[in-house]
Amino acid sequence: MKNFIFISPNFPTNYWLFCRELKKNGLNVLGIGDQPYDELTANLKDSLNEYYKVSNLENDDEVYRAVAFFIYKYGRIDWLESNNEYWLERDARLRTDFNITSGFQASDIPNIKFKSRMKEFYQKAGIPVARYHMVDTLENCLDFAWHVGFPVVAKPDNGVGASHTFKIENEEQMKQFFDLKWPDTSYIMEEFVNGEVNSYDAIIDSKGEPMFETGNITPMSIMDIVNKADNSIFYILKDLPDDTRAVGRATVKSFGVKSRFVHFEFFRLLKDQEGLGKKGDLVALEVNMRPSGGVTPDMIDFAHSTDVYKIWADMIAFDRSTMPIGQGAYCAFAGRRDGKDFVMSHADIAEKYGANLKMTERIPDVLSGAMGNQMYVAVFQSRKEMNDFYNDILRCNEL
């Protein structure tokens, strides 16, 4: 029996489904987390063979000892994953420390976590990248901004999501950025790309070939959602465009991805941009070597009448899957921000869109910055129906 250690199987709350499918496939599923066992859901308890509680998942020594305990009790560990961006570096260190050869090792992390290092792999795949400058002095950053043209975007070179990301539109804002940036953090500054985020989401087998592919579109900038405390929307595509599929597969090959669920992000240009391409072209943004966050795996299932938790677990256990993929649909996410005077109440939404709605839940505070506070997930056959849904539930009363 293969041993699989799942780090933080209780968060996000839907991740128990990965564990369930692993256990169904005959793996010994061993969880490590900081939530008391008695507080775990019954579903998660049933999906684990054993759970090791640490006082804090941030404590590397405790997590290290937990892995060592499982090795002592069960023998060699075949897989160790969290499927979570926040823990990717630590996952890799643990694999390296304990000679777990499946998955990225500590030496791989700079290439998949640092935005500046990602660019060479995109370029190797023939995908355009935004010009950039590693933040050093105010004078040099101003020179870069005047060279590529304001606005520019500055963000931590090794960062998660849109945390501490700045859109800098003039010299005064550049000076403000230098006052606000974290002093011991490396920042990358890039030319602003006028584009809409398109993703390539796929489950890749041990030979680097896709077992399942889809994509989503984020019409609004996550940076603006976070910085302006705005509503959040994105949707799973009914059909993956051929050019997104092509650049996604090229990125998989360039980075040497094997046996992973991935979420790669690209800009689709909204207008011609010198040095990058024509309107409609795809430009590299960043790679995420894990599933798209939050409820996105559930949304993918709704959009394609399938089960990506099972496909992923089948990849782990068998390197293939017979899980069917159904007819495609658009699956829309809308995250409403507390404090806004929306025209439609929760009851109004349920009455009008009850047949389309798949999920209506409060969003955990730790995710609300990028996703809003109250989410609605619904499925539609046409883009027009989906756009009408967005217009209805995000419309606010005029002051």
Side-chain angles (χ1 to χ4, degrees):
M1 180 183 288
K2 290 184 177 180
N3 294 315
F4 191 110
I5 290 180
F6 205 111
I7 306 290
S8 187
N10 57 304
F11 187 84
T13 53
N14 50 327
Y15 274 23
W16 73 272
L17 291 162
F18 286 120
C19 298
R20 181 188 70 181
E21 297 305 323
L22 288 171
K23 193 173 182 183
K24 281 184 180 179
N25 283 345
L27 277 75
N28 194 37
V29 187
L30 310 168
I32 299 175
D34 52 17
Q35 186 173 9
Y37 180 78
D38 290 343
E39 295 178 10
L40 301 180
T41 65
N43 285 329
L44 178 54
K45 289 178 182 177
D46 290 343
S47 302
L48 298 174
N49 295 86
E50 188 167 346
Y51 179 74
Y52 189 111
K53 181 193 174 298
V54 296
S55 64
N56 189 342
L57 273 176
E58 300 276 2
N59 188 318
D60 287 354
D61 288 340
E62 278 195 88
V63 177
Y64 184 96
R65 288 196 296 271
V67 175
F69 169 78
F70 281 143
I71 292 174
Y72 171 77
K73 185 170 182 178
Y74 295 101
R76 180 179 178 80
I77 302 300
D78 299 282
W79 295 84
L80 184 148
E81 288 286 355
S82 65
N83 277 348
N84 193 313
E85 184 76 24
Y86 192 75
W87 303 117
L88 281 185
E89 291 185 61
R90 217 253 310 275
D91 291 352
R93 291 198 304 271
L94 288 168
R95 291 191 204 101
T96 300
D97 290 344
F98 290 101
N99 195 30
I100 302 168
T101 56
S102 57
F104 290 112
Q105 303 295 301
S107 59
D108 298 317
I109 287 299
N111 295 335
I112 64 172
K113 286 287 288 177
F114 287 85
K115 297 171 177 63
S116 57
R117 295 285 289 271
M118 295 176 189
K119 290 181 181 289
E120 63 184 88
F121 291 90
Y122 276 124
Q123 290 172 315
K124 187 170 67 174
I127 303 166
V129 299
R131 289 171 290 181
Y132 74 100
H133 172 76
M134 299 308 297
V135 171
D136 46 13
T137 67
L138 173 61
E139 181 182 11
N140 287 342
C141 288
L142 283 171
D143 285 346
F144 171 76
W146 289 119
H147 175 68
V148 300
F150 284 107
V152 293
V153 175
K155 52 193 171 184
D157 194 25
N158 179 9
V160 178
S163 177
H164 227 242
T165 297
F166 299 81
K167 184 179 179 181
I168 301 166
E169 304 198 46
N170 52 51
E171 188 169 335
E172 184 59 35
Q173 289 183 6
M174 183 72 78
K175 293 175 182 176
Q176 291 172 0
F177 160 68
F178 270 81
D179 290 335
L180 294 171
K181 72 182 183 69
W182 293 322
D184 298 323
T185 298
S186 175
Y187 283 78
I188 183 172
M189 185 170 288
E190 298 176 297
E191 64 180 311
F192 179 77
V193 179
N194 193 334
E196 181 179 70
V197 176
N198 285 226
S199 79
Y200 172 80
D201 298 80
I203 298 171
I204 308 299
D205 69 15
S206 67
K207 296 178 286 295
E209 299 297 329
M211 294 171 56
F212 172 83
E213 298 169 298
T214 187
N216 68 57
I217 289 181
T218 305
M220 304 165 66
S221 162
I222 294 294
M223 175 178 63
D224 288 340
I225 293 166
V226 172
N227 291 340
K228 298 178 181 178
D230 208 344
N231 302 314
S232 172
I233 67 172
F234 72 95
Y235 56 91
I236 308 299
L237 287 161
K238 186 174 183 177
D239 299 296
L240 183 66
D242 289 341
D243 59 350
T244 307
R245 189 188 311 274
V247 296
R249 290 184 178 185
T251 303
V252 167
K253 298 299 182 187
S254 185
F255 279 86
V257 178
K258 296 178 180 177
S259 303
R260 293 202 73 77
F261 202 144
V262 298
H263 171 67
F264 298 159
E265 294 177 337
F266 304 88
F267 283 119
R268 189 176 294 281
L269 295 179
L270 296 176
K271 64 178 185 179
D272 295 356
Q273 192 159 343
E274 186 178 352
L276 291 178
K278 300 291 186 182
K279 179 180 177 180
D281 288 350
L282 290 168
V283 175
L285 177 51
E286 65 182 51
V287 295
N288 299 282
M289 299 297 182
R290 42 75 183 173
S292 184
V295 298
T296 308
D298 303 282
M299 292 174 59
I300 293 172
D301 287 352
F302 298 142
H304 299 290
S305 301
T306 192
D307 187 340
V308 292
Y309 299 101
K310 175 171 172 52
I311 296 172
W312 175 84
D314 287 350
M315 176 271 292
I316 296 291
F318 314 120
D319 207 27
R320 58 182 173 79
S321 180
T322 58
M323 184 69 207
I325 312 299
Q327 183 178 1
Y330 294 98
C331 187
F333 173 97
R336 301 213 302 189
R337 186 74 62 181
D338 288 350
K340 293 182 180 290
D341 184 17
F342 294 103
V343 171
M344 292 187 76
S345 67
H346 180 80
D348 294 334
I349 295 169
E351 181 178 356
K352 182 169 183 178
Y353 290 105
N356 305 91
L357 288 171
K358 296 293 185 179
M359 303 177 79
T360 59
E361 297 178 8
R362 292 293 293 176
I363 297 170
D365 289 344
V366 70
L367 301 175
S368 64
M371 299 180 70
N373 302 104
Q374 173 69 38
M375 75 171 178
Y376 296 89
V377 171
V379 171
F380 302 94
Q381 285 303 311
S382 73
R383 192 183 293 264
K384 181 185 183 304
E385 291 175 300
M386 179 178 67
N387 288 338
D388 289 343
F389 165 74
Y390 280 135
N391 290 333
D392 277 347
I393 74 169
L394 297 179
R395 190 167 72 251
C396 291
N397 287 304
E398 295 183 5
L399 295 176

